[in-house]
Amino acid sequence: MELFVGRIAEKKILSEALASSSSEFLAIFGRSRVGKTFLIRSVFKKQLIFELSGVHDANATEQLLNFSKALADALGSGLAPAAPKNWTEAFWQLREFAAPILKKRKAVIFFDEFP
């Protein structure tokens, strides 16, 4: 059952990015509460392997702890890995997680409301 009204052009752009033979980086912006996150989750639901939502007004330490919890969710683990010391380490952890998946298929990594 389709839950969208409209958004045909947006869904087409997202689907074309997914079908591309290259990696793609998409930035989606707009007013609050218009359905951007719902759109991403709906279009990419089968390909979404990692999702991180930023914490409003959190410092870097809190954001990195949030990252480790999101990585635990993606791994299907109740235990979060140690929080990375910095963003370089965080992205290396994400790379290690995603690499085996990306060898088999295209996947989506989603950063939402990330300050």
Side-chain angles (χ1 to χ4, degrees), residues 10-93:
E10 292 89 344
K11 290 187 329 186
K12 182 175 187 269
I13 291 167
L14 296 176
S15 296
E16 287 172 354
L18 188 60
S20 170
S21 60
S22 300
S23 296
E24 300 285 341
F25 179 87
L26 303 172
I28 299 171
F29 58 92
R31 291 189 341 260
S32 297
R33 316 292 311 159
V34 296
K36 297 177 300 291
T37 299
F38 180 77
L39 176 67
I40 293 295
R41 288 178 179 157
S42 298
V43 172
F44 294 139
K45 64 184 163 237
K46 293 179 183 171
Q47 295 82 16
L48 192 60
I49 62 167
F50 179 80
E51 180 177 344
L52 176 64
S53 293
V55 179
H56 183 68
D57 288 333
N59 63 33
T61 301
E62 293 166 323
Q63 297 288 6
L64 290 164
L65 179 60
N66 184 45
F67 174 90
S68 69
K69 291 178 179 179
L71 190 55
D73 286 345
L75 290 165
S77 171
L79 297 173
K85 295 176 184 70
N86 54 52
W87 285 107
T88 300
E89 188 175 304
F91 285 111
W92 276 103
Q93 287 179 358

